Amino acid sequence: MAITCQARWDRTSRTYDWLTWAEERRFAAAKRRLFAKMSGRCFMVAAGTGHDFQFFPPGLSITAIDISPDMVARARARAAGYAGKLKVEVMDVQQLEFDDATFDTIATSCTFCSVPDPIRGLRELHRCLKPGGRLLMFEHVRSRIGPIAMFQDLMTPLTRRFGPDMNRDTVGNVSKAGFEIRAEANVYLDIVKAIEAHRRDAHTTPQGRRALGVALPHGA
């Protein structure tokens, strides 16, 4: 487990609710729409203090993790109020303690701007997702607008000290980790996005879909 990362988020847990209060209010509706697609056996990465539990559909079986024991302690108090089964554990997304193909849905919320090795973490999610499973991500990303991207690049050495990198190419990293991106929507400019991806298996490639007799768009 990344001890330095763990210690940083333990410290942040003391003020995390205060720091994220305005953001949670601003993005509540977008998160609720995205997480409404959760189904089956679910997994959430980087639960923080559990603020996002309020956006989950009721009646699900959910396992949530965070690298910080102090974050997990706070999240467990909120998990008790969820109308379903929700357990919270200390774990590093870069080294998950689950079998292959365990989950039907995986959700993240402002997570992969902070994971030290994002592609390694995403590959672990791919491994633990069932074939055809769904990855739902609400994430900060690097802008494709030049001046904004430059500002993010300049600010990242500072923001990295207490939390996230502001300039991660998370959409690109999701593809590199083996996922097929099905939808990408801007929530705030193009620096906060809702992303839906699926585990890329043989039957989801153009060749695989042809083999199954699935109609393809012209030119695919």
Side-chain angles (χ1 to χ4, degrees):
M1 184 175 288
I3 301 300
T4 301
C5 183
Q6 185 182 66
R8 181 179 66 185
W9 288 108
D10 278 345
R11 292 191 299 271
T12 303
S13 69
R14 303 164 195 165
T15 55
Y16 187 80
D17 289 348
W18 178 77
L19 290 170
T20 59
W21 179 81
E23 182 175 286
E24 291 302 327
R25 290 175 62 88
R26 175 185 292 181
F27 298 132
K31 289 184 176 183
R32 187 170 284 110
R33 285 194 300 271
L34 179 66
F35 296 141
K37 300 176 182 180
M38 295 170 67
S39 62
R41 187 176 180 185
C42 300
F43 177 48
M44 184 193 187
V45 184
T49 60
H51 267 300
D52 290 315
F53 296 165
Q54 64 185 305
F55 306 126
F56 293 164
L60 296 175
S61 176
I62 304 171
T63 300
I65 66 164
D66 200 280
I67 197 170
S68 161
D70 289 355
M71 289 283 197
V72 167
R74 289 166 168 78
R76 282 174 175 161
R78 287 194 167 101
Y82 173 68
K85 182 180 178 182
L86 175 52
K87 63 179 180 178
V88 191
E89 302 177 359
V90 177
M91 200 177 300
D92 184 351
V93 68
Q94 299 171 124
Q95 192 172 0
L96 294 175
E97 301 168 15
F98 303 112
D99 293 335
D100 295 356
T102 295
F103 299 103
D104 299 286
T105 306
I106 297 177
T108 76
S109 180
C110 302
T111 299
F112 280 92
C113 51
S114 303
V115 175
D117 188 338
I119 294 179
R120 179 180 174 185
L122 285 161
R123 284 175 176 161
E124 277 289 272
L125 298 188
H126 190 276
R127 178 183 67 80
C128 293
L129 196 62
K130 293 180 181 178
R134 176 181 287 169
L135 175 64
L136 304 172
M137 308 182 75
F138 187 90
E139 296 286 341
H140 296 98
V141 303
R142 188 179 191 271
S143 177
R144 292 167 181 156
I145 301 169
I148 298 175
M150 290 176 62
F151 175 76
Q152 290 176 295
D153 291 342
L154 289 171
M155 290 298 296
T156 290
L158 174 63
T159 61
R160 185 182 291 143
R161 294 182 181 182
F162 61 85
D165 287 14
M166 295 181 65
N167 62 350
R168 292 277 179 89
D169 179 19
T170 297
V171 177
N173 289 340
V174 170
S175 294
K176 290 176 184 176
F179 288 96
E180 178 184 3
I181 295 175
R182 297 288 183 86
E184 175 189 342
N186 293 336
V187 177
Y188 176 70
L189 299 176
D190 71 335
I191 62 176
V192 179
K193 289 181 179 286
I195 304 162
E196 181 178 342
H198 288 231
R199 175 170 164 168
R200 182 183 291 150
D201 295 293
H203 70 275
T204 63
T205 65
Q207 294 81 4
R209 292 198 299 271
R210 284 195 182 96
L212 292 172
V214 178
L216 295 172
H218 179 70

